Amino acid sequence: MPHFIMEYSANLDDDLDIPALFEKLNETAIGTGVFPIGGIRTRAVRCEHFRIGEGDPENTFVHLTAKVGAGREPEVLKAASDKVFEVFTECLKPIFDKRWMSIGFEMIELHPERNYRMNNIHQKLADK
């Protein structure tokens, strides 16, 4: 973990460079030293149907959710959240400066007893 899930309005297709943004997000998550590399997942959900504010079709949104495993100190998660949001907004700034845009981010800590995972990518990375 984290699992980054980015929802975005379909009217951003021509402006949003998702592969470049995801590369930066993953680099940032790794750079925090808080998250195991093999647990990082990043994906986008294009929202075809949306209404923002008063309904102006030129309004846009991008919302990023980071789901993380439980057990880290609150200060550690806050510092990681601050860094992710800083990089996320920095990447979106060129669009934000020319379009009406809402940017959101939340980090959610998953319940330790109701979060199930199976992952062999950690082993692959350890074998390198």
Short mmCIF file of all heavy atoms in Angstrom, two decimals, residues 50-85:
data_model
loop_
_atom_site.label_atom_id
_atom_site.label_comp_id
_atom_site.label_asym_id
_atom_site.label_seq_id
_atom_site.Cartn_x
_atom_site.Cartn_y
_atom_site.Cartn_z
N PHE A 50 -20.71 13.65 -14.69
CA PHE A 50 -20.34 14.43 -13.53
C PHE A 50 -21.05 15.78 -13.60
O PHE A 50 -21.48 16.22 -14.66
CB PHE A 50 -18.81 14.65 -13.47
CG PHE A 50 -18.26 15.34 -14.69
CD1 PHE A 50 -18.17 16.72 -14.73
CD2 PHE A 50 -17.86 14.60 -15.79
CE1 PHE A 50 -17.68 17.36 -15.87
CE2 PHE A 50 -17.36 15.24 -16.93
CZ PHE A 50 -17.28 16.62 -16.96
N ARG A 51 -21.18 16.40 -12.47
CA ARG A 51 -21.70 17.76 -12.39
C ARG A 51 -20.91 18.43 -11.27
O ARG A 51 -20.82 17.91 -10.17
CB ARG A 51 -23.19 17.77 -12.08
CG ARG A 51 -23.77 19.18 -12.05
CD ARG A 51 -25.29 19.14 -11.83
NE ARG A 51 -25.81 20.48 -11.72
CZ ARG A 51 -26.23 21.22 -12.75
NH1 ARG A 51 -26.18 20.74 -13.97
NH2 ARG A 51 -26.71 22.43 -12.55
N ILE A 52 -20.35 19.58 -11.58
CA ILE A 52 -19.49 20.28 -10.64
C ILE A 52 -20.04 21.68 -10.43
O ILE A 52 -20.35 22.38 -11.39
CB ILE A 52 -18.04 20.35 -11.17
CG1 ILE A 52 -17.51 18.94 -11.47
CG2 ILE A 52 -17.13 21.07 -10.17
CD1 ILE A 52 -16.33 18.92 -12.39
N GLY A 53 -20.18 22.06 -9.17
CA GLY A 53 -20.64 23.41 -8.86
C GLY A 53 -21.99 23.70 -9.47
O GLY A 53 -22.94 22.93 -9.32
N GLU A 54 -22.06 24.79 -10.19
CA GLU A 54 -23.32 25.24 -10.78
C GLU A 54 -23.65 24.52 -12.08
O GLU A 54 -24.68 24.78 -12.70
CB GLU A 54 -23.28 26.77 -11.00
CG GLU A 54 -22.57 27.23 -12.26
CD GLU A 54 -21.05 27.04 -12.32
OE1 GLU A 54 -20.45 26.44 -11.40
OE2 GLU A 54 -20.44 27.50 -13.30
N GLY A 55 -22.79 23.58 -12.48
CA GLY A 55 -23.07 22.78 -13.66
C GLY A 55 -22.39 23.26 -14.93
O GLY A 55 -22.64 22.70 -16.00
N ASP A 56 -21.51 24.25 -14.85
CA ASP A 56 -20.78 24.70 -16.03
C ASP A 56 -19.99 23.52 -16.59
O ASP A 56 -19.19 22.90 -15.88
CB ASP A 56 -19.82 25.84 -15.64
CG ASP A 56 -19.06 26.44 -16.82
OD1 ASP A 56 -18.93 25.78 -17.87
OD2 ASP A 56 -18.57 27.57 -16.67
N PRO A 57 -20.21 23.15 -17.87
CA PRO A 57 -19.52 22.00 -18.44
C PRO A 57 -18.01 22.18 -18.56
O PRO A 57 -17.29 21.21 -18.79
CB PRO A 57 -20.16 21.84 -19.82
CG PRO A 57 -20.76 23.16 -20.13
CD PRO A 57 -21.12 23.78 -18.82
N GLU A 58 -17.52 23.40 -18.35
CA GLU A 58 -16.07 23.64 -18.37
C GLU A 58 -15.42 23.36 -17.02
O GLU A 58 -14.19 23.29 -16.93
CB GLU A 58 -15.78 25.07 -18.82
CG GLU A 58 -16.16 25.33 -20.27
CD GLU A 58 -15.43 24.41 -21.23
OE1 GLU A 58 -14.20 24.26 -21.12
OE2 GLU A 58 -16.11 23.81 -22.10
N ASN A 59 -16.21 23.23 -15.95
CA ASN A 59 -15.65 22.89 -14.64
C ASN A 59 -15.03 21.50 -14.71
O ASN A 59 -15.56 20.61 -15.38
CB ASN A 59 -16.72 22.92 -13.57
CG ASN A 59 -17.25 24.31 -13.28
OD1 ASN A 59 -16.66 25.30 -13.66
ND2 ASN A 59 -18.38 24.37 -12.61
N THR A 60 -13.93 21.32 -13.99
CA THR A 60 -13.24 20.02 -13.98
C THR A 60 -12.96 19.60 -12.54
O THR A 60 -12.99 20.42 -11.62
CB THR A 60 -11.89 20.11 -14.73
OG1 THR A 60 -10.99 20.95 -14.00
CG2 THR A 60 -12.06 20.63 -16.15
N PHE A 61 -12.68 18.32 -12.37
CA PHE A 61 -12.25 17.86 -11.05
C PHE A 61 -11.27 16.70 -11.18
O PHE A 61 -11.28 15.95 -12.16
CB PHE A 61 -13.43 17.44 -10.17
CG PHE A 61 -13.93 16.04 -10.43
CD1 PHE A 61 -13.40 14.96 -9.73
CD2 PHE A 61 -14.91 15.80 -11.37
CE1 PHE A 61 -13.85 13.67 -9.97
CE2 PHE A 61 -15.37 14.52 -11.62
CZ PHE A 61 -14.83 13.45 -10.91
N VAL A 62 -10.42 16.61 -10.18
CA VAL A 62 -9.54 15.46 -9.99
C VAL A 62 -9.54 15.18 -8.50
O VAL A 62 -9.30 16.09 -7.69
CB VAL A 62 -8.10 15.74 -10.47
CG1 VAL A 62 -7.22 14.52 -10.26
CG2 VAL A 62 -8.06 16.17 -11.92
N HIS A 63 -9.84 13.95 -8.13
CA HIS A 63 -9.82 13.57 -6.72
C HIS A 63 -8.97 12.32 -6.56
O HIS A 63 -9.19 11.32 -7.24
CB HIS A 63 -11.22 13.31 -6.17
CG HIS A 63 -11.20 13.01 -4.71
ND1 HIS A 63 -11.16 14.00 -3.76
CD2 HIS A 63 -11.14 11.84 -4.04
CE1 HIS A 63 -11.10 13.44 -2.56
NE2 HIS A 63 -11.09 12.13 -2.71
N LEU A 64 -8.00 12.39 -5.67
CA LEU A 64 -7.10 11.28 -5.41
C LEU A 64 -7.37 10.73 -4.01
O LEU A 64 -7.44 11.48 -3.04
CB LEU A 64 -5.65 11.77 -5.50
CG LEU A 64 -4.56 10.72 -5.28
CD1 LEU A 64 -4.56 9.69 -6.40
CD2 LEU A 64 -3.19 11.40 -5.17
N THR A 65 -7.54 9.42 -3.94
CA THR A 65 -7.66 8.73 -2.67
C THR A 65 -6.47 7.81 -2.53
O THR A 65 -6.10 7.11 -3.48
CB THR A 65 -8.95 7.89 -2.62
OG1 THR A 65 -10.08 8.76 -2.81
CG2 THR A 65 -9.10 7.17 -1.28
N ALA A 66 -5.85 7.82 -1.38
CA ALA A 66 -4.77 6.89 -1.07
C ALA A 66 -5.25 6.00 0.06
O ALA A 66 -5.56 6.48 1.15
CB ALA A 66 -3.50 7.63 -0.67
N LYS A 67 -5.36 4.72 -0.22
CA LYS A 67 -5.74 3.76 0.82
C LYS A 67 -4.44 3.14 1.34
O LYS A 67 -3.64 2.61 0.56
CB LYS A 67 -6.65 2.67 0.24
CG LYS A 67 -7.98 3.21 -0.22
CD LYS A 67 -8.86 2.09 -0.73
CE LYS A 67 -10.20 2.62 -1.18
NZ LYS A 67 -11.10 1.53 -1.57
N VAL A 68 -4.24 3.22 2.65
CA VAL A 68 -3.00 2.73 3.25
C VAL A 68 -3.32 1.73 4.36
O VAL A 68 -4.37 1.80 4.99
CB VAL A 68 -2.12 3.88 3.80
CG1 VAL A 68 -1.75 4.85 2.68
CG2 VAL A 68 -2.78 4.61 4.93
N GLY A 69 -2.38 0.84 4.59
CA GLY A 69 -2.53 -0.11 5.67
C GLY A 69 -2.41 0.58 7.02
O GLY A 69 -1.80 1.64 7.15
N ALA A 70 -2.98 -0.04 8.02
CA ALA A 70 -2.98 0.51 9.38
C ALA A 70 -1.63 0.29 10.05
O ALA A 70 -0.85 -0.57 9.65
CB ALA A 70 -4.08 -0.16 10.19
N GLY A 71 -1.40 1.09 11.09
CA GLY A 71 -0.26 0.83 11.96
C GLY A 71 0.82 1.89 11.97
O GLY A 71 1.75 1.79 12.76
N ARG A 72 0.73 2.89 11.12
CA ARG A 72 1.75 3.93 11.11
C ARG A 72 1.33 5.07 12.05
O ARG A 72 0.17 5.34 12.24
CB ARG A 72 1.96 4.46 9.70
CG ARG A 72 2.52 3.39 8.78
CD ARG A 72 2.59 3.91 7.34
NE ARG A 72 3.03 2.86 6.45
CZ ARG A 72 2.23 2.03 5.80
NH1 ARG A 72 0.92 2.11 5.96
NH2 ARG A 72 2.72 1.11 5.00
N GLU A 73 2.32 5.73 12.59
CA GLU A 73 2.06 6.87 13.47
C GLU A 73 1.34 7.97 12.69
O GLU A 73 1.64 8.19 11.51
CB GLU A 73 3.37 7.41 14.06
CG GLU A 73 4.05 6.44 14.99
CD GLU A 73 3.23 6.14 16.24
OE1 GLU A 73 2.57 7.07 16.76
OE2 GLU A 73 3.23 4.99 16.69
N PRO A 74 0.40 8.68 13.34
CA PRO A 74 -0.32 9.75 12.66
C PRO A 74 0.60 10.81 12.03
O PRO A 74 0.34 11.29 10.94
CB PRO A 74 -1.18 10.37 13.76
CG PRO A 74 -1.35 9.28 14.76
CD PRO A 74 -0.09 8.47 14.70
N GLU A 75 1.70 11.15 12.72
CA GLU A 75 2.62 12.16 12.18
C GLU A 75 3.28 11.67 10.90
O GLU A 75 3.56 12.47 10.00
CB GLU A 75 3.75 12.51 13.16
CG GLU A 75 3.45 12.69 14.61
CD GLU A 75 3.15 11.42 15.39
OE1 GLU A 75 3.97 10.49 15.49
OE2 GLU A 75 2.04 11.38 15.94
N VAL A 76 3.55 10.37 10.83
CA VAL A 76 4.18 9.79 9.64
C VAL A 76 3.21 9.86 8.46
O VAL A 76 3.60 10.25 7.35
CB VAL A 76 4.61 8.33 9.93
CG1 VAL A 76 5.05 7.62 8.66
CG2 VAL A 76 5.72 8.31 10.98
N LEU A 77 1.96 9.50 8.70
CA LEU A 77 0.95 9.57 7.63
C LEU A 77 0.68 11.01 7.22
O LEU A 77 0.49 11.30 6.03
CB LEU A 77 -0.35 8.90 8.06
CG LEU A 77 -0.31 7.38 8.13
CD1 LEU A 77 -1.68 6.84 8.54
CD2 LEU A 77 0.12 6.78 6.81
N LYS A 78 0.68 11.93 8.18
CA LYS A 78 0.46 13.35 7.86
C LYS A 78 1.58 13.87 6.97
O LYS A 78 1.34 14.55 5.96
CB LYS A 78 0.37 14.16 9.15
CG LYS A 78 0.33 15.67 8.95
CD LYS A 78 -1.00 16.15 8.41
CE LYS A 78 -1.12 17.66 8.52
NZ LYS A 78 -1.09 18.34 7.24
N ALA A 79 2.82 13.55 7.30
CA ALA A 79 3.96 14.00 6.50
C ALA A 79 3.90 13.40 5.09
O ALA A 79 4.15 14.10 4.10
CB ALA A 79 5.28 13.64 7.19
N ALA A 80 3.56 12.12 5.00
CA ALA A 80 3.44 11.48 3.69
C ALA A 80 2.29 12.10 2.89
O ALA A 80 2.43 12.37 1.69
CB ALA A 80 3.23 9.97 3.85
N SER A 81 1.16 12.36 3.56
CA SER A 81 0.01 12.99 2.90
C SER A 81 0.37 14.37 2.38
O SER A 81 0.02 14.73 1.25
CB SER A 81 -1.17 13.12 3.87
OG SER A 81 -1.65 11.86 4.26
N ASP A 82 1.06 15.15 3.21
CA ASP A 82 1.46 16.50 2.80
C ASP A 82 2.33 16.44 1.55
O ASP A 82 2.16 17.23 0.62
CB ASP A 82 2.23 17.20 3.92
CG ASP A 82 1.36 17.59 5.10
OD1 ASP A 82 0.11 17.56 4.99
OD2 ASP A 82 1.95 17.93 6.16
N LYS A 83 3.27 15.50 1.52
CA LYS A 83 4.18 15.39 0.38
C LYS A 83 3.43 14.96 -0.88
O LYS A 83 3.65 15.51 -1.96
CB LYS A 83 5.32 14.41 0.70
CG LYS A 83 6.38 14.37 -0.36
CD LYS A 83 7.04 15.73 -0.51
CE LYS A 83 8.10 15.71 -1.58
NZ LYS A 83 8.59 17.05 -1.91
N VAL A 84 2.55 13.98 -0.74
CA VAL A 84 1.77 13.52 -1.90
C VAL A 84 0.91 14.66 -2.44
O VAL A 84 0.88 14.90 -3.65
CB VAL A 84 0.90 12.29 -1.53
CG1 VAL A 84 -0.12 12.00 -2.61
CG2 VAL A 84 1.78 11.07 -1.29
N PHE A 85 0.23 15.39 -1.55
CA PHE A 85 -0.62 16.48 -2.02
C PHE A 85 0.20 17.58 -2.69
O PHE A 85 -0.20 18.15 -3.70
CB PHE A 85 -1.46 17.05 -0.87
CG PHE A 85 -2.49 18.04 -1.34
CD1 PHE A 85 -3.54 17.65 -2.15
CD2 PHE A 85 -2.41 19.38 -0.97
CE1 PHE A 85 -4.51 18.56 -2.59
CE2 PHE A 85 -3.37 20.30 -1.40
CZ PHE A 85 -4.41 19.89 -2.21
#
